[in-house]
């Protein structure tokens, strides 16, 4: 009897003839003998993908049979006209072979014998051609090496009645009977295939138990090399699959023990030895991911290499071995940081791609894994071309990978990770939004128990954390924390990603602390960050980002508690890690930035200029070496500008401020709207331009300052919940207050008070003291415009509260004390309570004690104190001569240190006029009158004052000259 497929040229051409069947003797039961076999029908088929490429093709023969034994076919042809090499075939109800295998099994007369299970009914013999089976390669989002499966796994179309017969036959069979073993394998395969369809773990468990019993039987034979090793390979694969699903370490350990035993039984040149090497290595890699035992990783690499050495060019499994070895080398790079491992990994993936057919389902997986290597190369070397190549590899893989592909969700996860990295590089918020979208889509495709769900949860949490930092949406922060918590639940303390999860969780807790002010979050954040660091040994590629996370938590705690031990720990972490990284390595720059940041914080706390100078040296080194496009390029320029601006405030050297502005402008040029550093660049530039106006009366700088600081707020219309929202409000309010003093536009002052009031109403603000200082000062300014006792009293209240919040050595205390003193003087003018004037003098004196000799605000504090002493001397009865003496001494000191073109020189001149005219009124000394008019003349010619102030000076000059009949006339 024979049958032939249709002559459709696109289909697999198969022709075979049933030439006989031999029943097996099972005692005296004639039912066990061959009864009949008849070809009922023959039908060809073809299944296409969406793109039109054939996925499956073949021919199905339907037989009416009732048999237990051996059925023989004669194969006349078995080819596919459009395939240069044979694909995979599946004989339903029997053994699974490739087309090459079937051709190789033919006897001299093209006879092919297949063992059949006990069966009664209609059996479909389906010969199916498909592309080569996909190697099971996963990325860092959930990598799993390929498993080789010995060709005994079958896809059975037998009915439930047939399975029942098979089970009864097994019960009656004799241990050691070859047909008993064959039936056991067939039943195990049938259960396994039903498990693949229904995901019923009972079927998987029964298949494992069947294979275990066969392994036990086979292991008792003296010569067990023929069947034992293939059985172990299959059983080990199923145990590893169950371990992946349920996470029971006993399954993994059992598989490893089986592989180890099989290594002894496998002859040096056995046909299955390459599969044994490969699967043993994959199981070792699984155990390494759980326990991070580098001995397992080293042994896995050795076994993968051994498998590759056996699979020479032309071997059908060579691509799989190349890919597995590449995967293991990349994992080792993650721990050791040896660039050679990364280079070899990329080379192996490229070789695998070259020998992988374009239409193979393995092709997009190899592209994905190659993209991961290139992404890792960018992280290691900072070469943006590598990152762009990785993105292109992911895009190409997605175009080749249909959504139903087993690796599709994993591909989405890895593509999202690369997009998030590109966002940090280029600053385009659209990349981050796309990353969140792809992570979310991948997560919907990964139900609970999916081994890749952990990595997707972690990646989505990090992306939402990044978006929170950009947009300040608190719901993103809470969602990120939820995903980090879920990630922690999916990995134990020995998991290789455990430190990364802890670090991410720590960073999010720091952010929540800044939002809510719960110190428990901050303490937990530092605890988790420290634990993460202990899990990441020196030399690990993740150690630098982990140290950065710890440093961020520590510097946050320092700003809250002002314990310099936190800064010392940051410097200790940076120094120890820098010692491990060779010069020129890209990872050094992040550590150097942290180191300089801690030195800058310590300078602002202790005032030690050595720390400021050291920070400047480090930042200059970073901006000199880091190229445009690197993540630290803009940040380095911003921080160097900050150091120079601080130094300008210390020494008043214009070149420092000009250079600071230049660095801010450089950063802004490479950080367009949406870039992570756009807002910091814009903010610092606005503040520096405001300083330029304040010191050098550059009106253009004042308007630009207000413009830039307004843009910051306008870029975030819903920024009320952003952690930097209050800072933006204070910066703009300060600029508007300064412009009000220059142009006297009450709208500027009103807007400034509104902004500061809004900032003061936000709870748990670490910047609350500076907010209250500015609000108190602005209310005092409004009183100057229109006297209002309520404004004065509210100003005193805010400034007093600010002082209570500031530590004794905080640099803001000198400004708070000075401004509170000025407000107390105004309160004295309204109430004439002498104790308020005395308090004002005390505050000025306290501010003066805190002011360093080279502090730029020293002259202003001295002038305010001189004015208060003069006023107390004037109003006191009897007069205290020491008040006048101290007043005059202070003014002489100011004159000695203040340049004639300094903005504060106007304040000095007007104070001198008041004191000298008062002295003239008392003793009529002409020298006092001449000194007063000389001061008026100097004040009128100053370039660093507004036209309004200049007009005020001129008007007073004229009025004073008329009052005292002074011969000096204004020109």
């Amino acid at each position: 009897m024979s049958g032939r497929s249709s002559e459709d040229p696109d289909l697999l051409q198969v022709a075979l003839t049933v030439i006989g069947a031999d029943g097996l003797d099972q005692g005296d039961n004639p039912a066990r003998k061959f009864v009949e076999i008849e070809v009922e029908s023959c039908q060809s088929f073809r299944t296409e993908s969406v793109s039109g490429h054939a996925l499956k093709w073949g021919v199905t023969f339907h037989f009416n049979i009732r048999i237990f034994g051996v059925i023989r076919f004669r194969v006349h042809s078995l080819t596919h006209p459009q395939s240069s090499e044979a694909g995979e075939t599946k004989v339903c109800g029997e053994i699974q072979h490739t087309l090459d295998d079937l051709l190789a099994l033919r006897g001299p007369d093209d006879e092919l014998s297949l063992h059949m299970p006990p069966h009664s009914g209609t059996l479909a013999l389906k010969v199916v051609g498909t592309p080569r089976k996909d190697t099971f390669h996963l990325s860092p989002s959930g990598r799993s090496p390929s498993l080789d499966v010995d060709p005994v796994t079958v896809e059975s179309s037998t009915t439930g009645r047939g399975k029942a017969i098979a089970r009864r036959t097994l019960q009656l069979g004799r241990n050691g009977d070859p047909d008993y073993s064959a039936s056991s394998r067939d039943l195990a395969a049938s259960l396994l295939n039903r498990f693949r369809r229904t995901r019923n773990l009972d079927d998987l468990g029964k298949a494992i138990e069947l294979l275990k019993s066969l392994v036990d039987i086979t292991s008792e034979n003296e010569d067990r090399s023929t069947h034992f090793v293939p059985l172990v390979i299959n059983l080990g694969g199923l145990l590893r699959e169950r371990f992946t699903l349920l996470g029971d370490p006993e399954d993994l350990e059992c598989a490893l023990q089986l592989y180890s035993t099989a290594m002894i039984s496998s002859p040096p040149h056995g046909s299955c030895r390459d599969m044994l090497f490969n699967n043993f290595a994959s199981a070792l890699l699984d155990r390494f991911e759980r326990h991070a035992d580098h001995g397992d990783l080293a042994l896995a690499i050795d076994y993968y290499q051994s498998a590759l050495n056996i699979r020479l060019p032309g071997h059908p499994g060579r691509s799989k071995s190349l890919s597995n070895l590449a995967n293991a080398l990349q994992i080792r790079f993650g721990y050791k940081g040896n660039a050679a491992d990364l280079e070899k990994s990329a080379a192996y993936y490229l070789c695998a791609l070259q020998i992988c057919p374009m239409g193979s389902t393995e092709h997009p997986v190899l592209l994905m894994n190659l993209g991961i290597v290139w992404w890792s190369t960018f992280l290691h070397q900072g070469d943006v071309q590598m990152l762009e190549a990785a993105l292109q590899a992911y895009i190409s893989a997605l175009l080749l990978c249909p959504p139903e592909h087993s690796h599709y969700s994993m591909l989405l996860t890895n593509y999202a990770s690369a997009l998030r990295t590109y966002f940090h590089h280029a600053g385009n918020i659209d990349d981050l939004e796309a990353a969140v979208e792809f992570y979310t889509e991948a997560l919907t495709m990964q139900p609970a128990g999916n081994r890749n769900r952990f990595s997707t949860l972690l990646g989505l949490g990090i992306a939402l954390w990044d978006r929170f930092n950009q947009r300040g949406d608190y719901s993103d922060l809470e969602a990120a924390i939820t995903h980090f918590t879920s990630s922690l639940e999916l990995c134990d303390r020995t998991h290789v990603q455990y430190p990364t999860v802890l670090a991410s969780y720590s960073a999010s807790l720091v952010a929540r602390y800044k939002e809510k002010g719960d110190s428990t979050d901050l303490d937990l954040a530092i605890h988790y960050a420290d634990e993460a660091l202990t899990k990441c040994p020196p030399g690990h590629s993740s150690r630098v980002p982990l140290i950065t996370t710890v440093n961020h938590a520590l510097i946050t705690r320092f700003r809250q508690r002002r314990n310099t031990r936190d800064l010392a720990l940051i410097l200790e972490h940076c120094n120890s890690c820098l010692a491990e990284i060779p010069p020129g390595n890209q990872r050094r720059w992040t550590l150097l930035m942290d180191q300089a940041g801690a030195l800058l914080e310590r300078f602002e706390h202790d005032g030690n200029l050595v720390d400021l100078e050291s920070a400047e040296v480090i930042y200059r080194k970073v901006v000199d070496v880091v190229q445009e496009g690197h993540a630290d390029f803009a940040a380095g320029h911003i921080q160097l500008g900050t150091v120079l601006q601080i130094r300008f405030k210390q020494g008043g050297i214009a070149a420092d401020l000009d250079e600071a502005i230049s660095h801010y402008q450089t950063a802004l040029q490479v950080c367009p709207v949406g870039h992570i550093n756009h807002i910091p660049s814009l903010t610092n530039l606005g503040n520096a331009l405001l300083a330029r106006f304040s010191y050098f009366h550059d009106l253009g700088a004042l308007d630009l300052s207000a413009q830039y600081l307004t843009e910051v707020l306008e870029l975030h219309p819903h920024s009320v919940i952003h952690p930097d929202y209050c800072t933006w409000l204070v910066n703009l309010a300060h600029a508007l207050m300064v412009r009000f003093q220059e142009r006297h536009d009450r709208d500027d002052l009103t807007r400034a008070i509104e902004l500061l009031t809004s900032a003061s109403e936000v709870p748990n603000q670490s910047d609350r003291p500076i907010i209250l200082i500015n609000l108190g000062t602005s209310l005092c300014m409004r009183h100057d415009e229109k006297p209002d006792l309520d404004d004065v009293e509210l100003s005193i209240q805010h400034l007093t509260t600010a002082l209570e919040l500031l530590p004794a050595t905080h640099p803001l205390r000198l400004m708070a004390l000075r401004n509170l003193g000025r407000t107390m003087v105004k309160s004295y003018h309204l109430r004439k309570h002498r104790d308020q004037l005395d308090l004002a003098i005390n505050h000025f004196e306290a501010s003066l004690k805190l002011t360093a000799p080279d502090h730029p605000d020293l002259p202003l504090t001295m002038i305010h104190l001189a004015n208060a002493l003069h006023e107390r001397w004037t109003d006191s009865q009897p007069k205290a001569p020491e008040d006048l003496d101290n007043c005059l001494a202070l003014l002489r000191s100011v004159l000695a240190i203040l340049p004639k073109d300094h903005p504060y020189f106007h304040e000095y001149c007007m104070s001198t006029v008041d004191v000298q005219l008062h002295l003239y009124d008392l003793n009529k000394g002409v020298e006092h009158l001449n000194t007063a008019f000389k001061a008026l003349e100097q004040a009128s010619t100053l370039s660093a004052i507004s036209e309004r102030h200049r007009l005020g000076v001129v008007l007073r000059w004229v009025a004073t000259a008329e009052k005292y009949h002074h011969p000096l006339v204004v020109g």
Side-chain angles (χ1 to χ4, degrees):
M1 301 177 188
S2 65
R4 182 178 296 272
S5 69
S6 65
E7 299 300 322
D8 186 341
D10 290 336
L11 296 182
L12 184 69
Q13 301 299 307
V14 181
L16 51 82
T17 302
V18 180
I19 60 174
D22 300 324
L24 296 181
D25 187 5
Q26 297 289 325
D28 296 328
N29 188 348
R32 297 296 182 189
K33 303 284 187 178
F34 164 73
V35 177
E36 63 178 348
I37 180 167
E38 178 184 356
V39 178
E40 183 179 77
S41 64
C42 175
Q43 180 179 6
S44 63
F45 63 88
R46 171 177 176 156
T47 304
E48 294 186 354
S49 67
V50 176
S51 61
H53 296 104
L55 293 182
K56 293 185 178 181
W57 55 90
V59 58
T60 302
F61 292 89
H62 294 277
F63 297 92
N64 291 320
I65 67 169
R66 201 164 155 249
I67 186 171
F68 177 61
V70 179
I71 183 169
R72 298 192 302 278
F73 300 93
R74 178 164 292 135
V75 181
H76 300 292
S77 64
L78 195 57
T79 60
H80 185 267
Q82 293 185 350
S83 176
S84 60
E85 56 179 318
E88 175 189 20
T89 63
K90 296 179 181 178
V91 181
C92 298
E94 257 311 317
I95 305 171
Q96 172 183 311
H97 289 285
T98 65
L99 296 180
D100 282 339
D101 290 334
L102 288 176
L103 291 171
L105 287 172
R106 288 183 298 176
D109 297 323
D110 286 338
E111 181 178 302
L112 174 64
S113 297
L114 301 175
H115 285 269
M116 304 297 290
H119 190 80
S120 178
T122 300
L123 176 73
L125 172 62
K126 181 185 292 186
V127 182
V128 182
T130 66
R132 287 183 181 273
K133 194 170 185 180
D134 183 24
T135 52
F136 193 60
H137 252 304
L138 305 185
S139 68
S141 69
R143 231 177 239 267
S144 178
S146 310
L147 282 180
D148 287 320
V149 181
D150 191 51
V152 297
T153 303
V154 305
E155 180 180 336
S156 176
S157 63
T158 53
T159 64
R161 180 168 176 267
K163 290 179 183 176
I165 295 172
R167 290 194 183 93
R168 288 197 299 272
T169 304
L170 288 175
Q171 292 170 358
L172 297 171
R174 299 188 301 272
N175 288 348
D177 189 313
D179 295 298
Y180 170 85
S181 297
S183 296
S184 297
R185 291 195 300 272
D186 291 340
L187 179 56
S190 180
L191 290 165
L192 180 60
N193 284 307
R194 188 168 71 180
F195 160 73
R196 303 233 188 276
R197 292 193 303 272
T198 66
R199 310 308 292 175
N200 186 336
L201 288 171
D202 288 341
D203 286 339
L204 178 60
K206 290 173 183 177
I208 288 173
E209 292 307 314
L210 277 171
L211 289 182
K212 277 185 176 180
S213 67
L214 287 175
V215 167
D216 291 341
I217 293 170
T218 310
S219 64
E220 295 171 359
N221 299 334
E222 292 183 4
D223 182 13
R224 61 185 186 182
S225 60
T226 303
H227 301 291
F228 179 73
V229 173
L231 283 171
V232 165
I233 290 172
N234 281 274
L235 176 56
L238 297 188
L239 287 166
R240 182 172 173 266
E241 182 169 0
R242 190 166 68 178
F243 162 74
T244 300
L245 292 170
L246 302 180
D248 186 348
E250 290 186 7
D251 281 340
L252 182 59
E253 291 301 325
C254 182
L256 287 165
Q257 183 60 45
L258 286 167
Y259 291 143
S260 180
T261 303
M263 290 290 289
I264 301 172
S265 302
S266 175
H269 302 292
S271 60
C272 295
R273 195 163 178 82
D274 60 326
M275 289 188 285
L276 182 59
F277 279 136
N278 183 81
N279 290 11
F280 198 180
S282 298
L284 286 166
L285 206 57
D286 279 340
R287 189 166 69 180
F288 169 76
E289 290 181 354
R290 287 182 61 85
H291 303 299
D293 183 341
H294 287 271
D296 284 341
L297 178 59
L299 196 56
I301 291 174
D302 288 343
Y303 284 152
Y304 279 140
Q305 185 66 63
S306 297
L308 182 63
N309 293 341
I310 295 173
R311 294 171 172 178
L312 300 175
H315 191 286
R318 184 170 177 82
S319 174
K320 184 188 301 181
S321 287
L322 286 166
S323 182
N324 284 342
L325 181 55
N327 171 31
L329 289 170
Q330 185 182 358
I331 291 174
R332 187 169 70 181
F333 162 77
Y335 279 84
K336 303 296 184 182
N338 187 344
D341 281 341
L342 207 57
E343 293 170 2
K344 290 179 182 177
S345 179
Y348 285 138
Y349 278 132
L350 285 169
C351 288
L353 274 170
Q354 289 174 358
I355 62 177
C356 179
M358 187 64 183
S360 169
T361 54
E362 182 183 359
H363 197 83
V365 181
L366 289 171
L367 279 171
M368 176 182 71
N369 289 340
L370 182 59
I372 295 166
V373 175
W374 284 337
W375 172 67
S376 300
T377 302
F378 166 76
L379 296 178
H380 181 65
Q381 300 176 356
D383 185 353
V384 69
Q385 291 183 342
M386 289 290 96
L387 179 57
E388 291 170 347
L391 287 167
Q392 187 56 53
Y394 291 138
I395 292 171
S396 299
L398 281 169
L399 292 174
L400 296 172
C401 190
E404 61 271 14
H405 193 288
S406 60
H407 294 82
Y408 188 76
S409 70
M410 197 187 332
L411 181 53
L412 288 175
T413 296
N414 286 299
Y415 184 38
S417 297
L419 284 170
R420 184 172 56 81
T421 302
Y422 200 74
F423 157 72
H424 284 286
H425 163 73
N428 188 340
I429 192 68
D430 291 340
D431 290 328
L432 182 59
E433 293 289 356
V436 171
E437 179 182 341
F438 287 130
Y439 277 130
T440 304
E441 182 180 354
L443 196 61
T444 62
M445 303 173 71
Q446 298 167 350
N450 186 293
R451 67 175 298 161
N452 300 314
R453 187 174 175 84
F454 160 77
S455 297
T456 305
L457 279 168
L458 178 59
L460 179 56
I462 295 173
L464 289 168
W465 155 249
D466 286 338
R467 192 167 72 178
F468 163 74
N469 286 326
Q470 283 296 294
R471 296 190 168 175
D473 188 340
Y474 187 74
S475 64
D476 280 343
L477 176 59
E478 285 296 345
I481 291 174
T482 298
H483 291 315
F484 293 146
T485 304
S486 299
S487 299
L488 273 177
E489 293 172 352
L490 294 177
C491 70
D492 56 32
R493 293 175 182 270
T494 60
H495 195 286
V496 293
Q497 290 278 20
Y498 184 67
T500 302
V501 183
L502 286 178
S504 301
Y505 192 27
S506 170
S508 63
L509 288 173
V510 171
R512 189 165 69 181
Y513 158 75
K514 291 181 178 179
E515 289 291 310
K516 301 295 185 180
D518 186 347
S519 59
T520 303
D521 278 342
L522 183 57
D523 292 334
L524 275 176
I526 293 175
H527 169 75
Y528 287 137
D530 286 339
E531 184 181 356
L533 203 55
T534 61
K535 299 288 184 181
C536 194
H540 194 287
S541 61
S542 296
R543 189 165 174 83
V544 171
L546 284 177
I547 284 180
T548 299
T549 300
V550 175
N551 291 344
H552 177 63
L554 288 170
I555 209 161
T556 301
R557 187 169 69 179
F558 165 75
R559 289 168 180 167
Q560 184 212 27
R561 301 174 186 173
R562 313 303 293 179
N563 186 342
T564 55
R565 173 59 182 159
D566 288 335
L567 298 180
L569 284 172
I570 294 173
L571 295 172
E572 181 182 324
H573 290 155
C574 292
N575 291 334
S576 63
C577 198
L578 283 168
E580 303 166 6
I581 302 175
N585 190 293
Q586 296 288 326
R587 293 178 295 167
R588 293 183 64 87
W589 311 131
T590 301
L591 291 169
L592 288 170
M593 293 286 286
D594 282 359
Q595 185 184 49
L599 290 169
L600 190 57
E601 291 281 349
R602 192 166 69 180
F603 161 74
E604 293 180 343
H605 181 270
D606 297 337
N608 188 340
L609 282 173
V610 174
D611 285 338
L612 183 65
E613 292 166 357
S614 299
E616 180 188 354
V617 170
I618 294 172
Y619 286 135
R620 287 195 183 279
K621 184 185 299 184
V622 171
V623 299
D624 287 344
V625 176
V626 175
Q627 299 296 314
E628 182 177 339
H630 191 279
D632 288 327
F633 179 81
H637 280 280
I638 292 170
Q639 290 300 99
L640 179 55
T642 301
V643 170
L644 291 166
Q645 193 170 349
I646 291 173
R647 194 170 70 182
F648 165 74
K649 292 179 180 178
Q650 294 291 313
I653 300 174
D656 284 339
L657 183 59
D658 289 340
E659 188 182 354
I661 290 172
S662 175
H663 285 295
Y664 295 144
Q665 289 172 332
T666 298
L668 189 60
Q669 288 171 359
V670 299
C671 300
V673 174
H675 192 284
I676 191 170
N677 282 315
H678 181 76
I679 294 295
S681 302
L682 205 59
T683 300
N684 284 285
L685 180 56
N687 290 335
L689 289 168
L690 185 60
R692 173 182 276 175
F693 166 78
S694 298
Y695 286 89
F696 306 114
H697 204 251
D698 183 341
L699 291 173
L702 176 60
D703 288 332
L704 277 176
S705 171
Q707 174 187 326
Y708 290 150
L709 296 175
T710 300
E711 286 180 19
V712 170
L713 277 178
E714 291 177 346
L715 285 170
H716 291 269
H718 305 294
S719 59
V720 177
I721 55 178
H722 195 284
D724 293 327
Y725 173 65
C726 287
T727 301
W728 300 337
L729 292 175
V730 172
N731 289 336
L732 178 56
H734 185 209
L736 293 174
M737 288 163 62
V738 172
R739 192 165 70 179
F740 165 75
Q741 290 175 307
E742 170 65 22
R743 296 181 178 163
H744 216 61
D745 185 340
R746 285 183 61 86
D747 289 341
D748 281 342
L749 181 58
T750 300
R751 176 63 174 149
I753 292 174
E754 290 173 352
L755 293 170
L756 292 167
T757 301
S758 297
S760 69
E761 293 170 351
V762 177
N764 303 316
Q765 279 298 316
S766 59
D767 292 333
R768 186 166 179 77
I770 189 62
I771 295 171
L772 294 176
I773 290 171
N774 280 277
L775 181 54
T777 304
S778 64
L779 290 167
C780 187
M781 292 166 61
R782 187 165 69 181
H783 163 77
D784 291 340
E785 285 296 301
K786 183 179 180 181
D788 186 335
L789 182 58
D790 290 340
D791 279 346
V792 173
E793 290 181 343
L794 194 55
S795 174
I796 292 173
Q797 176 185 328
H798 290 320
L799 292 167
T800 302
T801 303
L803 276 172
E804 293 171 351
L805 294 173
L806 291 169
T809 58
H810 197 285
L812 284 176
R813 284 189 68 85
L814 62 91
M815 180 171 62
L817 286 165
R818 185 177 66 241
N819 290 359
L820 180 56
R822 293 179 60 192
T823 308
M824 287 288 191
V825 169
K826 297 180 190 301
S827 178
Y828 168 73
H829 292 161
L830 293 172
R831 295 177 178 271
K832 292 301 180 180
H833 292 169
R834 169 65 182 273
D835 59 331
Q836 291 182 311
L837 184 57
D838 291 339
L839 280 173
I841 291 173
N842 291 339
H843 290 320
F844 288 136
E845 289 174 341
S847 178
L848 199 58
K849 288 179 181 178
L850 293 174
T851 307
D854 57 350
H855 195 285
D857 288 339
L858 176 65
L860 185 61
T861 305
M862 295 170 71
I863 292 169
H864 287 316
L865 178 55
N867 290 340
L869 289 169
H870 173 234
E871 193 157 358
R872 187 167 69 178
W873 176 76
T874 301
D875 294 348
S876 297
Q877 293 297 335
K879 298 185 182 301
E882 62 273 14
D883 282 346
L884 180 61
D885 293 341
N886 290 334
C887 169
L888 294 171
L890 286 166
L891 291 175
R892 285 193 295 271
S893 298
V894 171
L895 182 61
I897 64 175
L898 200 62
K900 298 295 189 293
D901 58 348
H902 196 283
Y904 291 162
F905 198 77
H906 167 263
E907 301 280 346
Y908 159 78
C909 289
M910 302 316 292
S911 296
T912 298
V913 169
D914 290 338
V915 174
Q916 293 299 325
L917 288 177
H918 192 189
L919 290 175
Y920 175 77
D921 289 339
L922 290 176
N923 56 34
K924 303 303 180 182
V926 176
E927 69 278 9
H928 297 304
L929 193 61
N930 290 336
T931 302
F933 276 95
K934 181 179 180 181
L936 285 168
E937 181 183 11
Q938 290 175 321
S940 68
T941 59
L942 290 174
S943 59
I945 63 171
S946 66
E947 290 303 317
R948 177 173 174 271
H949 284 138
R950 190 188 314 280
L951 179 60
V953 171
V954 172
L955 292 175
R956 183 167 183 190
W957 189 356
V958 172
T960 304
E962 291 177 350
K963 176 180 177 180
Y964 292 99
H965 307 288
H966 195 272
L968 186 61
V969 179
V970 179

